[in-house]
Amino acid sequence: MIRATLFFLLPALAQASALIDPDLKSLTGKATVVVSLQAIETEQTITKYERENVVSSLKNTSEHSLRLFKDELAAAKISVQDVQLLYSFWINNTAALEVSPKGLKQIAHFSSIRKIYKDRLVGFSQPSVDENSVEALATPYPYDFAETGLDKVIANRPELTGKGVIIGSVDTGIFGSHPMLKGKIVKFY
């Protein structure tokens, strides 16, 4: 039986204020921000990896964190003109808010908020695409295949070419025009 323990650690609530994105320091009008909410301290044991258990745990944590934020917002009697909840995201325990400069100053001292980020568009440049990238891979291999054991797979099972297999990666940190990825990207969405 595989046992895993998930911990959601609660940073010290004695924190004087949330960390604020430097781009928000000179806010003059309303802005959309994303707040990272404090997570409750809990220990949940999962006897084996089950998607439903992980999702349930994340949703419960997010619901509790959001409830604490809403309670703090109500207790502070902040006008909806100064802070308005737009969306909440259970997957990463965050919420999007529309705030005025006054509202930003008020929520910066909430114990239910860890960080406040300016919401901004994320751009990327379209990387070069090589439709024949699978066929472009030939000996010598561009990576250390021996370290991963792929050299043995290729030697012992030459029929496993990978042709027709598409490997996807969803990662906001990929730099698609990096020289190491040149000719390796079949399609970019």
Side-chain angles (χ1 to χ4, degrees):
M1 176 173 25
I2 299 172
R3 297 187 68 84
T5 304
L6 296 177
F7 289 97
F8 296 98
L9 300 175
L10 177 65
L13 289 179
Q15 181 178 340
S17 63
L19 296 174
I20 301 176
D21 186 331
D23 287 350
L24 292 169
K25 298 288 184 182
S26 59
L27 183 65
T28 57
K30 286 194 173 189
T32 303
V33 298
V34 176
V35 294
S36 174
L37 300 170
Q38 292 285 11
I40 57 172
E41 185 175 329
T42 182
E43 182 179 325
Q44 179 181 2
T45 302
I46 300 173
T47 55
K48 68 177 190 176
Y49 178 77
E50 292 181 4
R51 181 184 183 278
E52 295 80 22
N53 290 346
V54 173
V55 168
S56 174
S57 177
L58 290 171
K59 285 183 177 181
N60 289 338
T61 297
S62 180
E63 287 170 12
H64 182 79
S65 298
L66 192 60
R67 189 171 41 254
L68 291 175
F69 168 72
K70 287 180 176 179
D71 290 348
E72 209 167 2
L73 191 61
K77 298 180 181 172
I78 298 174
S79 164
V80 71
Q81 299 298 330
D82 291 318
V83 177
Q84 183 177 10
L85 176 65
L86 302 175
Y87 309 101
S88 63
F89 308 98
W90 61 266
I91 193 76
N92 60 358
N93 202 28
T94 61
L97 311 172
E98 184 177 72
V99 298
S100 69
K102 178 182 174 186
L104 178 64
K105 287 178 186 168
Q106 291 173 306
I107 66 169
H109 297 286
F110 280 17
S111 62
S112 58
I113 296 177
R114 290 178 40 225
K115 296 180 183 176
I116 304 172
Y117 303 95
K118 182 177 181 182
D119 190 22
R120 50 177 71 81
L121 291 176
V122 177
F124 70 95
S125 59
Q126 189 71 18
S128 61
V129 175
D130 181 0
E131 296 294 333
N132 300 314
S133 61
V134 173
E135 287 78 12
L137 291 177
T139 307
Y141 298 109
Y143 304 102
D144 190 359
F145 279 23
E147 185 177 306
T148 61
L150 285 174
D151 60 331
K152 292 178 182 135
V153 173
I154 292 168
N156 297 329
R157 302 281 311 270
E159 72 278 10
L160 297 177
T161 64
K163 186 171 182 141
V165 176
I166 297 173
I167 298 174
S169 174
V170 177
D171 184 345
T172 59
I174 288 181
F175 181 45
S177 58
H178 190 281
M180 291 295 288
L181 295 177
K182 186 172 182 163
K184 311 252 183 325
I185 298 174
V186 175
K187 188 155 186 145
F188 213 92
Y189 293 92

